[in-house]
Amino acid sequence: MEWFITGSIIILGIAFFVVFTVMKDKNNNKIIEDHLREISKQYNMKFSLGVKEEYDYLIENKEVVIYIKKAKIPSNSSVTINARNTWCLRWGGKRVGRSYPNMRYMKELIPYLICEYQNEKKVIKVVLIYPDTEVILKYLNESELATVKPLDNNYGTRAIRFLDFEEAFKELIK
């Protein structure tokens, strides 16, 4: 009988965790979508979702089309652009300026990063870093790193923090 109660508690805990995770993910997606929708309205641009595409969102007008891919990462992290399709996420630790104990390559971005969008309009590819990151870096050569600014072109793609997107958007569509 004890194993039944213990098993029930474990299964209930897992179920609550899964429901909480799904609800949090839906809420985060809604925050991003509402923010991008609001920005597109401000500039009289069309906003749409990328259903079954490499990108997640699309904002366009007569001159410009912006393909946006979201990258959800922890706030205490850094993103390093090693090459065109190799982006690295490092996270964890307790203080700013530390070396991060955890590392993984952002393989989920590869289909988007290698995709070449053809359009008669000006094409802009953006990776939207959500919610935030401490720093975005890019390897210039084997030993030199540079800090990436929102409007820097990184192998045809721009890496922009969610909090900086609205400010950078004005310059992006020029």
Side-chain angles (χ1 to χ4, degrees):
M1 187 66 166
E2 286 181 29
W3 63 270
F4 179 74
I5 294 172
T6 305
S8 298
I9 291 172
I10 290 172
I11 290 172
L12 212 59
I14 291 171
F16 280 128
F17 177 75
V18 168
V19 168
F20 175 76
T21 303
V22 168
M23 295 302 288
K24 184 179 176 188
D25 193 47
K26 280 181 114 175
N27 185 42
N28 288 343
N29 288 340
K30 181 151 178 48
I31 290 169
I32 295 169
E33 186 178 324
D34 290 346
H35 188 67
L36 294 177
R37 203 177 291 276
E38 181 68 31
I39 290 171
S40 62
K41 280 183 186 176
Q42 283 178 346
Y43 293 93
N44 297 320
M45 297 179 82
K46 180 184 169 196
F47 174 81
S48 57
L49 299 173
V51 181
K52 295 187 179 182
E53 300 286 344
E54 289 87 11
Y55 60 90
D56 296 316
Y57 309 103
L58 179 73
I59 300 176
E60 64 182 320
N61 65 12
K62 293 176 185 171
E63 298 91 27
V64 178
V65 60
I66 303 171
Y67 297 94
I68 302 171
K69 178 74 174 173
K70 69 179 175 260
K72 293 183 182 178
I73 62 170
S75 295
N76 63 337
S77 63
S78 75
V79 174
T80 307
I81 302 168
N82 298 354
R84 179 177 181 222
N85 61 351
T86 308
W87 290 35
C88 182
L89 171 64
R90 289 181 169 82
W91 76 97
K94 296 185 185 213
R95 63 176 181 77
V96 176
R98 74 222 169 265
S99 61
Y100 301 96
N102 306 305
M103 190 272 295
R104 74 171 181 85
Y105 290 103
M106 300 172 74
K107 294 179 183 177
E108 67 275 11
L109 295 179
I110 292 174
Y112 175 73
L113 294 171
I114 63 175
C115 189
E116 294 289 333
Y117 297 105
Q118 301 298 322
N119 201 315
E120 63 275 354
K121 303 175 188 178
K122 178 183 173 186
V123 173
I124 301 170
K125 288 174 54 177
V126 174
V127 173
L128 189 63
I129 312 269
Y130 182 84
D132 198 13
T133 184
E134 291 173 0
V135 67
I136 303 171
L137 301 169
K138 177 182 177 182
Y139 273 100
L140 301 176
N141 57 38
E142 292 176 358
S143 60
E144 277 186 86
L145 285 167
T147 303
V148 174
K149 295 176 184 78
L151 298 175
D152 288 350
N153 192 347
N154 308 294
Y155 307 103
T157 306
R158 287 162 174 85
I160 303 175
R161 294 179 178 135
F162 180 73
L163 300 174
D164 297 337
F165 186 75
E166 188 170 0
E167 186 180 315
F169 192 79
K170 296 173 198 172
E171 295 298 319
L172 211 74
I173 61 175
K174 284 185 180 180

